Amino acid sequence: VQAESLEDRCQVSPYACQRRTPLAHKNQVLTEALETMAEEARFCGSEGRSLAFSRAASVLKSLPWTVRGVKELHFLPCIGEHSRKIIQEVLEDGTSTEVENVRQSERYQTMKHFMKIFGVGVKTASQWYQEGLRTINDLQAHHAKLGKAQQAGLLHYRDLNSPVKRSEAEAIVQVVQKAVDQFLPGASVTLTGGFRRGKPSGHDVDLLITHPVEGQEVGLLSKVISWLDSQDFLLYHSTHRNASQALEDQELSVSMTAMDRLDHCFSIFCLNYPHGSIKGGSRAWEPGYELKDPGDATLWKAVRVDLVVAPYSQFPFALLGWTGSRNFERDLRRFSKHEKKMVLNSHTLYHTEKKIFLSAASEEEIFQHLGLEFMPPEERNA
Ligand code: 8DG
Ligand code: MN
Ligand code: MN
């Protein structure tokens, strides 16, 4: 007998931004199966199909109960025919043959392997697969043409595929704060992404930088990157500047996508371990850092870091946009557009009928503008 009333079950929203989704949920086996199907669809270039599986998984993640029968699915939004079939198989047999076949397929395994290389996306991975390449060794032997990002990705493959721990993320915050303080005292460094949602580990560290005096942040990112580079903290970096002349054309800025308008940098940090502490060892990372000793790879670790700089007035939008999850963000924008006639991105909220920009001093105010109940980061794990 389930505790939830029929009414509770009918109230599951089709928008992730209206569903509280904690990190730990009760339908792991089902969501893993659906997410494998979503991944496989993405590998095939079928974005729509991928999104459908991904949405179904996201709905199950938000449920405060474990789904035990296929009848329960009738109350839920976003569960398509194919997702229902997969769920039914798993519920009845404990496993889905379709999912197992995908997991065992050479193409899926190879694609997954190649896409774990930083800088490699679906296009490159499937091209390599088509050319008959299967392993990392094949890439090197075949002299596959690699971009700068991919070369760095290959070089640091092991480190970049071992989870980043919270203590390591906090050490990176310290390093970046120290860099920022030299050029712009009073600027803040905020940990966003999965760590802000309460994840104990992640695939990278997402940092958002701002300063309470609007305009002071201009030019900060390049100075910070140059300093970090001069101190041997960077193994790779690629900076993207916002186009400030385009920003003056507000119609244009609305049509642009989110992050493209903020200064940001995709990088790989060299995180150094203090005396005696060794990478992969059981001892936790302790505060304090030193310069890289390139001679001994057990003393440092390559860590992916995303740095974003936002003007103060855009900070709440940037914070909301970079906290994720990706499913949460996608639905927040979909909800804004379809339910509120507003365009939300990582720097503004625009009302398309009133033709005005809505300002906000906090994430809470953005939710208010959208007529949404505030969702704390820990409940955005859609
Ligand atoms: P993880 O790193 O712990 O594995 O998970 P995560 O922190 O949730 O994932 P993420 O890939 O680091 O993304 C976190 C948020 O950052 C995401 O919701 C949106 C923003 N973001 C990126 N990269 C990009 C990008 O290339 N485009 C856009 N629009 N947003 C991005 O990190
Ligand atoms: Mn992240
Ligand atoms: Mn990231």
Side-chain angles (χ1 to χ4, degrees):
V1 180
Q2 303 279 345
E4 289 76 20
S5 69
L6 187 64
E7 198 184 340
D8 285 339
R9 292 176 175 220
C10 294
Q11 278 173 355
V12 178
S13 169
Y15 294 107
C17 54
Q18 291 185 306
R19 303 190 297 256
R20 297 187 181 269
T21 313
L23 203 52
H25 64 87
K26 299 199 159 67
N27 292 285
Q28 195 90 24
V29 182
L30 296 177
T31 58
E32 274 169 14
L34 293 169
E35 281 176 338
T36 298
M37 295 303 291
E39 200 175 27
E40 161 71 3
R42 200 159 67 86
F43 291 172
C44 296
S46 313
E47 286 299 330
R49 223 158 51 80
S50 178
L51 196 56
F53 284 123
S54 193
R55 282 211 178 112
S58 177
V59 164
L60 298 187
K61 284 182 192 173
S62 75
L63 302 180
W65 71 87
T66 303
V67 172
R68 307 220 181 265
V70 63
K71 272 186 194 159
E72 296 171 45
L73 303 177
H74 295 304
F75 304 107
L76 302 176
C78 311
I79 313 278
E81 210 43 59
H82 202 164
S83 291
R84 185 189 311 278
K85 202 187 127 229
I86 301 284
I87 294 168
Q88 181 162 14
E89 266 192 288
V90 175
L91 287 177
E92 286 171 2
D93 311 332
T95 172
S96 151
T97 45
E98 192 174 356
V99 174
E100 288 315 310
N101 287 340
V102 164
R103 284 184 183 147
Q104 250 121 67
S105 83
E106 190 180 20
R107 184 184 149 87
Y108 173 82
Q109 285 180 9
T110 309
M111 289 290 289
K112 210 170 155 67
H113 191 48
F114 285 162
M115 285 182 55
K116 286 197 324 199
I117 305 169
F118 170 65
V120 175
V122 172
K123 247 181 84 179
T124 306
S126 71
Q127 195 180 317
W128 287 342
Y129 184 81
Q130 239 115 68
E131 287 168 15
L133 307 177
R134 294 293 179 270
T135 65
I136 301 286
N137 276 343
D138 289 349
L139 292 181
Q140 278 147 351
H142 193 262
H143 299 292
K145 276 181 256 115
L146 299 175
K148 268 196 84 176
Q150 295 164 353
Q151 283 174 25
L154 214 48
L155 197 57
H156 305 294
Y157 187 84
R158 276 182 67 140
D159 276 3
L160 297 184
N161 283 292
S162 78
V164 181
K165 283 169 270 171
R166 180 172 289 273
S167 56
E168 293 167 337
E170 277 157 9
I172 301 274
V173 173
Q174 280 187 34
V175 172
V176 173
Q177 184 73 63
K178 186 187 151 107
V180 161
D181 284 346
Q182 295 186 29
F183 301 105
L184 188 58
S188 63
V189 179
T190 306
L191 187 56
T192 64
F195 287 109
R196 184 160 181 257
R197 302 197 309 276
K199 283 178 67 177
S201 66
H203 97 284
D204 69 354
V205 180
D206 304 288
L207 298 179
L208 180 56
I209 301 167
T210 194
H211 187 277
V213 181
E214 185 100 1
Q216 290 290 298
E217 80 293 341
V218 173
L220 178 62
L221 188 59
S222 63
K223 289 181 203 157
V224 166
I225 294 297
S226 299
W227 184 82
L228 289 168
D229 203 18
S230 74
Q231 300 296 303
D232 283 338
F233 276 119
L234 295 182
L235 298 163
Y236 168 87
H237 61 98
S238 159
T239 304
H240 306 263
R241 290 210 48 204
N242 78 1
S244 52
Q245 71 275 40
L247 200 68
E248 281 154 26
D249 181 349
Q250 302 202 310
E251 280 304 316
L252 181 65
S253 82
V254 164
S255 67
M256 299 283 289
T257 53
M259 57 154 333
D260 310 323
R261 315 311 321 285
L262 296 168
D263 281 1
H264 60 271
C265 177
F266 301 121
S267 72
I268 301 174
F269 266 58
C270 174
L271 178 62
N272 304 282
Y273 288 78
H275 322 272
S277 169
I278 287 175
K279 173 166 77 183
S282 54
R283 282 175 61 181
W285 196 92
E286 287 150 28
Y289 56 85
E290 2 170 338
L291 297 185
K292 164 171 120 187
D293 170 9
D296 190 346
T298 60
L299 293 178
W300 58 275
K301 177 187 178 181
V303 177
R304 270 274 298 115
V305 178
D306 287 338
L307 293 172
V308 188
V309 175
Y312 202 61
S313 63
Q314 298 177 15
F315 179 77
F317 298 98
L319 184 62
L320 181 58
W322 282 81
T323 296
S325 68
R326 282 171 193 272
N327 280 332
F328 187 88
E329 300 296 332
R330 197 188 300 111
D331 277 8
L332 200 52
R333 287 161 201 218
R334 196 164 58 94
F335 176 88
S336 305
K337 187 174 170 208
H338 296 292
E339 306 297 326
K340 301 289 165 179
K341 307 266 184 287
M342 294 185 197
V343 179
L344 173 70
N345 56 37
S346 289
H347 57 115
T348 53
L349 178 63
Y350 182 71
H351 198 300
T352 57
E353 283 176 349
K354 294 183 186 163
K355 299 199 189 307
I356 51 166
F357 285 92
L358 299 164
S359 63
S362 64
E363 280 188 332
E364 281 85 347
E365 284 187 26
I366 303 172
F367 281 87
Q368 271 170 26
H369 283 315
L370 293 169
L372 286 169
E373 225 177 291
F374 179 70
M375 206 66 86
E378 298 75 23
E379 293 181 330
R380 299 179 200 164
N381 290 290

